[in-house]
Structures are given as C-alpha cells and as structure tokens.
Amino acid sequence: MNGANALIRSLVDQGVEVVFGLPGGQAIPIYDALYEREDLRNLLMRHEQGAVHAADGYARATGKVGVCIATSGPGATNLVTGLATAYMDSIPVLAITGQVKTTALGKDSFQEADITGITLPVTKHNFLVKNADDLPRVIAEAMYIASTGRPGPVLVDIPIDVSLAETDYKPVKEVNIRSYSPHIEINDEDIKRAAELINASERPVIYAGGGVVLSGASEEITKLSDMTHILVTTTLLGKGAISEYSPHSLGMLGMHGTAYANHAVDQCDLLIAIGARFDDRVTGKLAAFAKRAKVIHIDIDPAEIGKTVAPDVSVIGDCKEVLTRLIPMVNPRQETDWNKKIMQWRTEFALKCPADDGEIHPQCVIDCLSEMTKGEAIIVTDVGQHQMFTALYYKTTSPKRFLSSGGLGTMGYGFPAGIGAAVGCPDLPVFAICGDGGFQMTLQELAPALEYKVPVKIVLMNNRYLGMVRQWQELFWNRRYSGVDISYQPDFKLLAEAYGAVGIVIEKPGEVKDAFARSLEIKDKPVILDFHIAREENVFPMIPAGQSIEEMMVNRPR
C-alpha cells in the first residue's frame, strides 16, 4: 500500500472512528485513501478552523483524541487558531496536514508553509514525516503523546511524495519514546504534608480546574468534599468537576465568578488547588489573591508548580491518582462556622434573574435551559458575555458536559466544537451557545451539520453588539462604543432556512421555554434559536482586570 493508506490504516488501528477535515492538492492521496472506507467516518467541514474546533469538541466530550485533516499552506495555517485553543486548554487533538513533496521543501513552493515551525509554540509535539515506512510509528506516537501526561495537540505533516510512496504496513503494538515518560511517581511525603495541612485548617476551600475533568477525578473530588464539607469552587474549565446541584458547590470563581466563591477564596486559610493553573482571570491582582491562605497545589505538570503562585505544599501527579491516595489520610469533619459563613454569602450574593420587564435577558434564557435539561445536556459555548452568563447560570452535573475555550478565548469556537461533541455523543442533546459576533465567524459549518444530520441547537444571544467589548467600553472607556455595533447582520432565521436548517426567532420572554421545547423535538438537523436579547445587558459580578475582590462590582455602577 502507499503511505496515505498506511496513514489511514494506522488511524483505524489506533481506534480512531471519525475525522474532521478538508482536502487540498497535497492531501488528495490521503482523501483518496479515505474513499469508500467504512471503518473511518470522514466529515467534510467547510473551513479548516471548523475542522480543528470540531476535533477539539469531540475530544472534550468523549475523552478520546480528536482528529482533523488539512492540506498544506493556507489549509494548514488555518488550523493554527484551533491548535492554540487546544494547547491552552490541554486537549488531545491530532492534526494531519498535507505538505509539498520533500524535494520542494524550503523552496517557497506553491502552497508551502513551514507548518511544523509555525505550530511549534502551540503544539505539544509535531512531526515532519519523510519516509512512508515511519507513518505507523509516527501516528502511534502522536496519539500516545496527545493523550498521555498533560494532554495536548500534536501535528503530523506529510509531504505528498511520502503519501504516494509504497510501504509494507506493519502495525505498531507498543509505543516507547525515549525521553518521554508521562507517568509520574507521586511522592508519598508530599501527600502526607498536604493531608496535614488540610487536617489543621479551619477555613479550607477546594479550587478545582480543568485538570480534574481531564483526569476523571470528579468522583474523588466529590468524595473528599462530602466527607469533609469543604466547599468547592471551579474554574471555567473545571465546571462539572462537582455537580453544581451539590450543596458543596460554589460555582465558578474569578473575574466573572460568583461573589460568594470569591469571598470564600479571599477569606480562606487553606486553598487546595487541584488541576488548576492560577490563570490571571482567576487570580486578578496576584498579591491580593487568597492572601490569608496557605496553598496546596496538585498538578500533573511540574512546570505549573510555582509558575504564578508559590505553594506551601505541591503534589505532582495525576489528579485522580493523587486524590485516591490523599483521601484516606484526611480526617472527616462536620460543617463548621466557616461553612455557615459561606452560606451567608451565598444567600447575600445569590445569582438572580432580572425581573420581567418585557425584554429577554440572557440570564433568564440560560436559567431556563438549565432547568429544562437538568444539567444533563452537553453545553458548548463560544466566547464573550454569553459564555460567562452560561458559566454562572447553567448548572452542570457531570464532567465533559461543559465545553468552552478557556485559555485562548477563541471566538468562533462554539458552533463547530458543538458539531464535534454531537458526533461523539449522539445520544445527548448538544446546545452551542453563541453570540451573534462569534457565530458569524464559523457559521459556514451549518453545511456539514445539515449534510451529516447533526442536530446541534444553536442558542444565539443576539444583541447586535460585540457584547463583552461593549461592556468594557461602557464601564472603563466612558461608553465610547468603538467598533462593536454589529447591527448590520443577516436574518438568522432565513439564514438557517437557506441552509435547510430550522430557524426560530424569540422576541418575548414568554416564548423562551416553548422555543427550547420545540428545538428538542428536532433530531435530524441543526436549529438556530435567535434570541433577541436586551442590547446592553452586562455580566455581573465582575472584578476588573488586574484588580482584587475589593473592586468587585455586583451590579452596574450608578
């Protein structure tokens, strides 16, 4: 067989069932090898950015490696934003790119781009394959690197002459990469010191990040919290680490976190950070963050320890494994005055939907969706105000049910990632919650969603603004709304119908629930739910960038 067929055979042998991609001249042999394959499903996306976001969404929802394919040059460079998105959030993605023939490399050939050089800072590893015989080994290693240790995206670049070269396919049964050892021996002494700090603390708080979701440590976090009554706040990517219906859940912390979670972190005497990286959107003014607390930091990546916050105790290792060994050393405890104090904050600063004033408020839309789905749907957000409203008002019950671009904050992510999630989890309803700005960046993926009967429900928060930028301009730039009014836009209902999808316009609060109910009845095509929301709604609470909890705004300043 030729190299392209060896590539596809390798993917199948590695358990890959679906790829998202777009062909081009240098990827024709790869797509020819896909022709009439019944054991590897190919979804033809309409832009490479859509392909890599779909692979990302598939990976986050399933826990498997998401795979995308692009051609050389602009096809490959169109993957960069999605790879950076996956890299920032530690998502296992394998990107396969076609490349000009090996003899044309480095000669500014037509559609040549040094994609391994370009993606070096935004991939966990990448390969340029120059011998077809190497393809089975490279694919096996790429899948192994992407999914082990701290996960991340890997790129494999394949020149067209390598795809066409003849090779004897030899399956790779075992991967052994010199200098790559993802398994970390956990130090028992570190665990013992962590347990001693927990047992001695009076006001502890758990701060759970995306590493908890990636490691599958949700059950352990819940067990630790239940036996000690230590309350849990999560990052954006940590949503689902503990059920947000649990009385021990404080929701999200940080810039747009709940006020009670931020007060708890501010006043705690021990912060137990698990699979979290002290992102600046969480810490704000670093010198003022959890300034009364000792810190335990548990993370699989040694590079994260002390990068931002110097811990008193660090434990390096997989979150699930560390917690499994830590829990027997922690003393059970009953609720204390500290718990009661946090409950007072939770009552005082409770999240509330605005009163009905005839306009549709995004908080109420998300709250309604949360109630109707009981937190059991897969929620994929784009980036902006709607993302924060969703993080605050949608109660997630399980890991891998809330997907969002956290680190890079990539507009245009939500809808194609929702396609990937729906392909990976066809038995669950998938809602892609988007702003009208972000949706217009990747809306062309309506075509494959129709073609492959992917019933993603697009919850469009349509305020005809780039809402989060407008909010910052209102609060910090004297209401100088420069470059944010996007009132010139398509009729989204007609747009949906032009593609063959379903479009529903919702203009009154009383129409929200019925619209969601109608969308849930549609099982074979996407639906655009065009919510005409209040134009100048703001996300609160808000701690201004680089500030501390003392500057937190819980309402619009007068």
Side-chain angles (χ1 to χ4, degrees):
M1 66 176 70
N2 66 20
N5 279 288
L7 163 68
I8 301 304
R9 176 78 181 275
S10 300
L11 292 174
V12 172
D13 284 352
Q14 292 295 322
V16 178
E17 298 173 336
V18 60
V19 297
F20 306 87
L22 204 66
Q26 309 306 324
I28 288 177
I30 297 172
Y31 271 82
D32 185 72
L34 280 168
Y35 190 67
E36 293 185 337
R37 292 285 309 209
E38 295 182 353
D39 51 0
L40 184 58
R41 189 181 178 198
N42 169 49
L43 267 69
L44 174 61
M45 306 300 283
R46 297 303 190 262
H47 191 285
E48 290 84 358
Q49 185 180 355
V52 65
H53 289 331
D56 177 307
Y58 176 90
R60 295 191 202 222
T62 64
K64 303 175 184 175
V65 177
V67 181
C68 59
I69 300 175
T71 190
S72 66
T77 57
N78 282 341
L79 297 177
V80 172
T81 297
L83 291 172
T85 303
Y87 184 73
M88 289 286 280
D89 293 346
S90 306
I91 304 303
V93 167
L94 171 59
I96 296 165
T97 49
Q99 183 55 280
V100 301
K101 60 185 178 181
T102 51
T103 55
L105 286 169
K107 297 179 180 177
D108 296 332
S109 306
F110 177 68
Q111 290 195 332
E112 179 191 5
D114 176 15
I115 195 61
T116 52
I118 291 169
T119 60
L120 192 62
V122 295
T123 52
K124 187 176 175 183
H125 193 66
N126 61 35
F127 297 85
L128 172 60
V129 184
K130 293 187 176 180
N131 189 325
D133 294 340
D134 293 337
L135 278 165
R137 174 187 59 79
V138 167
I139 295 300
E141 290 182 358
M143 294 286 287
Y144 182 67
I145 292 170
S147 59
T148 53
R150 180 175 183 167
V154 176
L155 182 138
V156 177
D157 197 27
I158 307 174
I160 189 169
D161 53 327
V162 174
S163 291
L164 294 170
E166 287 299 311
T167 181
D168 291 328
Y169 180 77
K170 296 177 182 175
V172 174
K173 303 290 186 184
E174 186 176 349
V175 173
N176 185 12
I177 306 171
R178 190 176 63 178
S179 78
Y180 180 67
S181 301
H183 183 74
I184 295 172
E185 289 296 328
I186 298 170
N187 187 316
D188 287 332
E189 189 60 30
D190 291 339
I191 293 181
K192 182 180 176 184
R193 291 171 60 208
E196 288 171 353
L197 273 187
I198 295 171
N199 292 334
S201 68
E202 296 180 351
R203 305 189 308 278
V205 169
I206 293 173
Y207 152 42
V212 174
V213 175
L214 289 168
S215 73
S218 175
E219 185 177 333
E220 286 72 19
I221 286 272
T222 303
K223 182 177 181 180
L224 178 61
S225 178
D226 286 347
M227 64 180 272
T228 60
H229 295 283
I230 299 176
L231 276 71
V232 181
T233 182
T234 73
T235 66
L236 179 73
L237 299 183
K239 274 180 73 73
I242 182 172
S243 169
E244 291 176 300
Y245 285 93
S246 165
H248 296 143
S249 171
L250 291 173
M252 187 177 73
L253 80 165
M255 175 181 282
H256 288 296
T258 63
Y260 41 91
N262 284 321
H263 278 297
V265 170
D266 182 61
Q267 296 292 322
C268 72
D269 68 352
L270 177 66
L271 188 65
I272 308 165
I274 307 173
R277 61 187 179 89
F278 295 93
D279 177 75
D280 60 296
R281 283 285 179 114
V282 166
T283 65
K285 186 178 182 180
L286 200 54
F289 177 71
K291 55 185 179 294
R292 300 167 180 82
K294 292 187 175 182
V295 174
I296 297 171
H297 193 179
I298 299 169
D299 202 283
I300 196 170
D301 187 349
E304 288 296 338
I305 305 299
K307 185 178 77 175
T308 304
V309 171
D312 295 275
V313 172
S314 61
V315 186
I316 300 170
D318 174 75
C319 294
K320 185 180 180 72
E321 189 176 348
V322 171
L323 289 172
T324 300
R325 292 162 65 171
L326 173 67
I327 287 171
M329 300 184 190
V330 175
N331 298 333
R333 71 168 83 191
Q334 300 301 312
E335 290 189 351
T336 65
D337 289 344
W338 173 236
N339 292 79
K340 295 176 183 174
K341 181 66 177 175
I342 295 175
M343 290 304 108
Q344 288 176 2
W345 285 324
R346 189 145 70 180
T347 301
E348 182 180 355
F349 299 105
L351 295 173
K352 296 177 181 175
C353 292
D356 188 352
D357 57 2
E359 290 197 281
I360 297 176
H361 295 276
Q363 301 95 319
C364 307
V365 175
I366 302 301
D367 186 65
C368 178
L369 179 61
S370 186
E371 280 296 312
M372 289 184 70
T373 60
K374 303 299 180 190
E376 294 297 326
I378 293 180
I379 301 297
V380 190
T381 80
D382 210 82
V383 170
Q385 285 183 308
H386 64 277
Q387 179 189 33
M388 295 297 111
F389 283 127
T390 308
L392 287 168
Y393 286 85
Y394 191 87
K395 292 184 177 179
T396 306
T397 57
S398 310
K400 299 186 177 70
R401 298 285 174 84
F402 180 87
L403 320 181
S404 191
S405 170
L408 197 64
T410 306
M411 287 180 69
Y413 169 84
F415 175 43
I419 293 174
V423 169
C425 302
D427 296 330
L428 290 173
V430 175
F431 291 84
I433 301 177
C434 304
D436 44 332
F439 179 60
Q440 292 186 74
M441 293 182 177
T442 48
L443 61 79
Q444 75 282 347
E445 304 306 342
L446 278 165
L450 261 295
E451 181 178 359
Y452 302 110
K453 303 184 188 304
V454 182
V456 176
K457 293 89 172 71
I458 302 150
V459 179
L460 194 64
M461 295 293 188
N462 186 353
N463 59 6
R464 291 163 287 142
Y465 272 129
L466 299 175
M468 189 59 90
V469 182
R470 186 213 58 76
Q471 176 171 336
W472 282 48
Q473 290 175 338
E474 176 193 326
L475 297 176
F476 311 120
W477 295 84
N478 199 28
R479 299 180 70 92
R480 289 164 60 87
Y481 293 169
S482 178
V484 293
D485 191 324
I486 54 172
S487 296
Y488 190 83
Q489 60 181 212
D491 181 320
F492 289 104
K493 181 176 186 294
L494 293 180
L495 177 78
E497 291 170 355
Y499 274 95
V502 176
I504 303 172
V505 178
I506 306 97
E507 297 180 300
K508 298 176 182 176
E511 299 170 350
V512 172
K513 188 171 183 179
D514 287 346
F516 278 131
R518 184 179 164 196
S519 76
L520 285 166
E521 294 173 354
I522 298 168
K523 309 288 187 184
D524 61 347
K525 62 180 68 175
V527 181
I528 295 180
L529 294 149
D530 183 9
F531 290 94
H532 292 193
I533 62 172
R535 287 204 79 191
E536 298 195 7
E537 189 70 88
N538 285 343
V539 184
F540 293 114
M542 180 180 189
I543 300 175
Q547 300 299 310
S548 65
I549 192 170
E550 280 75 21
E551 283 74 40
M552 181 169 62
M553 295 179 285
V554 293
N555 289 300
R556 183 174 252 132
R558 295 181 183 275

